[in-house]
């Protein structure tokens, strides 16, 4: 069968580009979202997120009538669920995944499901979430059969197909990346491959739902562990008075070594979150994965400890009288280079804590942002690069944005630099 009408549930960073991609291949796409403002904006042919090339894609799809957004579920041949799966705060020290958005999506599409439909979970999910989704659908629709009980003979097919695109390169990677397709039965996988082949040029590799869930978590945990290794090296090297950047570049000359780069911590909504999905399921077994999360989460505190050291040093030398005399400039607040995304950013976390430590309100330089949201502007003053460098006595280089890579900083005798990205100073820690 062919999929003529496709419903994408959740029109965010993954759902909207995916919806636009199907629409660009002349499929009729119904985008479902709980946010009326998002729906209205998309129906005007505009986008509510920053992603290169997406604006044109969505505008064309809407104007040509292939993409339409709504807040109420409508019948379709395939449903792709791309809703958030954040972490839940709980009383223990291991956060659990919050599957309530998946459950809400299941409840909203269940009334319009019909025999022959395909439901795909794209959201990054803990192992077992696809089976849970199928169970929620079955509870809502006792008149239909699902693969957990009927396998290949199910009325509705269910599969997990995790997205793996890199923010900033989503449009290209959606087409070029290989896809892992984990059906709850072989027929589920077969139908899911058929659907993705509408626009995917990469290979669609088939496995089962649980393995597909674990593949995505494994990829992001692997990266987190490797970054933790680099961050731990940076802390060790600071103690031993060794330039960690030089160390890593020398070690990486070995043909089988490829160490990643240290930074002020790990941010974003994927790498800093997904490893917990493994840890919360298998707390006694996931030892390295948990340690990596803790090392990377500690790194922003470590940077603030260096700031404290500078303050003590400056006050002992009589250069500052009290904490309000310390003027800090934070270069970069996004969660990584060359994007405007402040969500889960360790750099922003560091900047936002400076006033809480009793220091003066810091300057923030963020070339990709014109105006800070009000909660940020309460704690950080947005200024130009030049103004920050002129006015601050401590410069905190937090993100390796191209604007900073291109500028060669020159400091006066009274200024300190904490370079967390190795752009300006050779030493990781502060230099005078
Ligand atoms: N970082 C370092 N050192 C490094 C590399 C990254 O400190 O050497 C930091 C970044 O500054 C940032 C964080 O790690 O704070 C994450 O950045 P990233 O570029 O590693 O990843 P994301 O979150 O933008 O996208 C990742 C990608 N996953 C992998 O590369 C394994 C992407 O392919 C996934 O689709 C995405 O997560 C996701 O949605 O899961």
């Amino acid at each position: 069968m062919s999929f003529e009408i496709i419903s994408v549930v959740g029109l965010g960073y993954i759902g909207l580009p995916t919806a636009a991609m199907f629409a660009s291949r002349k499929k009729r796409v119904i985008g479902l979202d709980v946010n009326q403002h998002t729906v209205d904006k998309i129906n005007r042919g505009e986008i509510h997120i920053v992603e290169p090339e997406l604006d044109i894609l969505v505008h064309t799809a809407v104007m040509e009538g292939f993409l339409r957004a709504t807040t109420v579920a409508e019948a379709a041949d395939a449903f792709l669920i791309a809703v958030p799966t954040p972490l839940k705060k709980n009383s223990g020290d291991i956060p659990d995944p919050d599957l309530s958005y998946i459950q809400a999506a299941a409840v909203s599409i269940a009334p319009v499901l019909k025999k022959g439909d395909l439901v795909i979970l794209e959201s990054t999910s803990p192992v077992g979430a696809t089976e849970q989704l199928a169970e929620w659908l079955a509870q809502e629709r006792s008149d239909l059969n699902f693969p957990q009980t009927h396998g290949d003979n199910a009325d509705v097919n269910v599969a997990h197909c995790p997205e793996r695109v890199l923010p900033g390169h989503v449009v290209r990677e959606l087409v070029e990346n290989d896809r892992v397709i984990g059906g709850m039965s072989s027929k589920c996988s077969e139908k899911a491959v058929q659907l993705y082949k509408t626009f995917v040029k990469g290979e669609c590799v088939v496995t089962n739902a649980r393995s597909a869930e674990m593949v995505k978590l494994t990829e992001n945990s692997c990266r987190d562990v490797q970054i933790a290794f680099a961050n731990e090296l940076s802390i060790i090297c600071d103690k031993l008075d060794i330039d960690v950047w030089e160390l890593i570049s020398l070690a990486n000359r070995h043909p089988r070594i490829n160490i990643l780069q240290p930074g002020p911590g790990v941010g974003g909504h994927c790498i800093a979150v997904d490893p917990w999905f493994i840890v919360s399921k298998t707390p006694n077994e996931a030892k390295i994965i948990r340690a990596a999360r803790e090392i990377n989460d500690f790194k922003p505190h470590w940077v603030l400890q260096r700031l404290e050291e500078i303050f003590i040093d400056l006050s002992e030398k009589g250069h500052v009288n009290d904490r309000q005399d310390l003027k800090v400039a934070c270069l970069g607040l996004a969660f990584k280079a060359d994007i405007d995304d402040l969500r889960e950013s360790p750099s922003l976390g560091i900047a936002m804590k400076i006033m809480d430590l009793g220091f003066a309100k810091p300057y923030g330089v963020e070339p990709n942002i014109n105006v800070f949201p009000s909660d940020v502007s309460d704690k950080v003053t947005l200024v130009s690069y030049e103004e920050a460098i002129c006015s601050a006595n401590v410069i905190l280089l937090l993100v390796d944005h191209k604007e900073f890579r291109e500028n060669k900083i020159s400091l006066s005798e009274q200024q300190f630099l904490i370079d967390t990205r190795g752009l300006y100073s050779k030493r990781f820690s502060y230099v005078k």
Side-chain angles (χ1 to χ4, degrees):
M1 82 158 277
S2 69
F3 301 98
E4 289 314 319
I5 307 178
I6 298 163
S7 176
V8 177
V9 187
L11 296 171
Y13 281 82
I14 299 302
L16 183 57
T18 306
M21 202 55 84
F22 278 114
S24 74
R25 301 301 191 266
K26 312 286 179 218
K27 296 286 180 190
R28 278 179 54 208
V29 181
I30 301 164
L32 182 63
D33 201 285
V34 290
N35 188 324
Q36 187 67 50
H37 174 72
T38 300
V39 164
D40 293 342
K41 201 155 191 177
I42 293 167
N43 284 335
R44 288 196 301 270
E46 298 165 14
I47 60 173
H48 61 294
I49 53 178
V50 178
E51 181 60 45
E53 298 175 52
L54 184 63
D55 47 353
I56 304 270
L57 210 58
V58 169
H59 189 261
T60 311
V62 172
M63 293 308 142
E64 289 182 349
F66 287 103
L67 172 62
R68 179 170 54 81
T70 171
T71 55
V72 183
E74 294 177 25
D77 304 318
F79 295 83
L80 273 94
I81 299 176
V83 295
T85 43
L87 292 170
K88 263 196 303 221
K89 294 257 172 292
N90 60 21
S91 51
D93 50 1
I94 302 176
D96 289 318
D98 175 1
L99 300 188
S100 61
Y101 295 91
I102 298 181
Q103 185 171 17
V107 170
S108 79
I109 63 169
V112 297
L113 278 184
K114 61 185 185 316
K115 202 170 170 174
D117 283 356
L118 170 67
V119 179
I120 293 188
L121 179 61
E122 279 223 8
S123 313
T124 303
S125 299
V127 172
T130 310
E131 291 158 1
Q132 175 66 74
L133 163 67
E135 202 43 51
W136 280 323
L137 293 172
Q139 282 166 16
E140 296 293 316
R141 291 295 300 270
S142 53
D143 56 322
L144 291 170
N145 294 328
F146 289 84
Q148 61 272 37
T149 49
H150 287 70
D152 277 347
N153 298 318
D155 293 331
V156 176
N157 292 297
V158 182
H160 181 56
C161 179
E163 61 76 16
R164 297 142 94 203
V165 287
L166 194 67
H169 301 265
V170 169
V171 173
R172 180 177 53 78
E173 289 209 353
L174 270 178
V175 175
E176 290 177 3
N177 287 3
D178 291 346
R179 296 298 295 237
V180 174
I181 311 265
M184 284 182 64
S185 71
S186 47
K187 186 155 166 228
C188 296
S189 299
E190 196 187 303
K191 292 191 93 179
V193 170
Q194 195 190 333
L195 176 69
Y196 281 103
K197 276 294 169 192
T198 308
F199 65 80
V200 171
K201 292 210 176 99
E203 202 178 324
C204 290
V205 189
V206 169
T207 180
N208 58 51
R210 293 174 77 86
S211 296
E213 288 159 347
M214 191 65 180
V215 167
K216 165 75 192 221
L217 304 182
T218 300
E219 291 163 357
N220 283 356
S221 299
C222 176
R223 199 156 166 85
D224 198 43
V225 168
Q226 291 188 42
I227 299 169
F229 181 66
N231 276 332
E232 184 163 288
L233 280 179
S234 72
I235 295 172
I236 293 169
C237 285
D238 189 64
K239 275 247 145 105
L240 301 181
D241 199 20
I242 291 169
D243 172 4
V244 69
W245 314 102
E246 187 195 24
L247 174 88
I248 290 174
S249 81
L250 292 176
N252 281 349
R253 283 172 178 258
H254 185 288
R256 286 171 296 283
I257 301 292
N258 187 13
I259 303 169
L260 292 179
Q261 300 299 311
V266 168
H269 359 280
C270 312
I271 306 229
V273 173
D274 304 350
W276 287 119
F277 292 6
I278 300 180
V279 180
S280 83
K281 272 257 173 257
T282 50
N284 296 327
E285 292 77 17
K287 294 195 174 73
I288 294 182
I289 298 171
R290 179 174 181 170
R293 269 296 62 247
E294 288 167 351
I295 290 164
N296 287 333
D297 276 352
F298 169 69
K299 200 61 196 292
H301 304 286
W302 187 86
V303 173
L304 287 168
Q305 285 169 4
R306 305 284 74 72
L307 188 64
E308 194 68 40
E309 271 177 22
I310 291 178
F311 171 70
I312 293 167
D313 198 19
L314 283 173
S315 35
E316 278 172 5
K317 288 181 181 140
H319 294 317
V320 292
N321 294 321
D322 63 31
R323 296 174 87 81
Q324 284 293 311
D325 288 343
L326 201 77
K327 303 274 185 294
V328 183
C330 299
L331 304 189
L333 297 174
F335 86 80
K336 67 176 189 174
D338 305 328
I339 60 167
D340 68 338
D341 198 338
L342 295 176
R343 294 176 304 163
E344 313 299 329
S345 166
S347 310
L348 180 65
I350 289 169
M352 299 277 278
K353 285 216 178 67
I354 291 174
M355 272 174 88
D356 297 345
L357 295 173
F359 300 125
K361 188 174 180 182
Y363 304 110
V365 183
E366 185 37 79
N368 302 301
I369 290 179
N370 294 327
V371 186
F372 280 157
S374 60
D375 58 326
V376 177
S377 61
D378 286 348
K379 300 222 157 189
V380 186
T381 306
L382 184 63
V383 296
S384 68
Y385 178 85
E386 289 71 25
E387 196 180 342
I389 301 293
C390 283
S391 324
N393 40 19
V394 181
I395 318 287
L396 254 173
L397 189 280
L398 297 171
V399 187
D400 46 342
H401 286 313
K402 75 171 180 324
E403 290 79 359
F404 308 145
R405 294 197 295 268
E406 284 159 4
N407 271 314
K408 268 274 154 271
I409 197 168
S410 68
L411 299 179
S412 72
E413 271 298 294
Q414 278 76 43
Q415 283 180 312
F416 283 83
L417 171 69
I418 302 178
D419 184 354
T420 71
R421 297 282 184 180
L423 280 195
Y424 300 141
S425 69
K426 289 220 152 215
R427 284 284 315 284
F428 184 86
S429 184
Y430 64 89
V431 287
K432 201 148 92 155

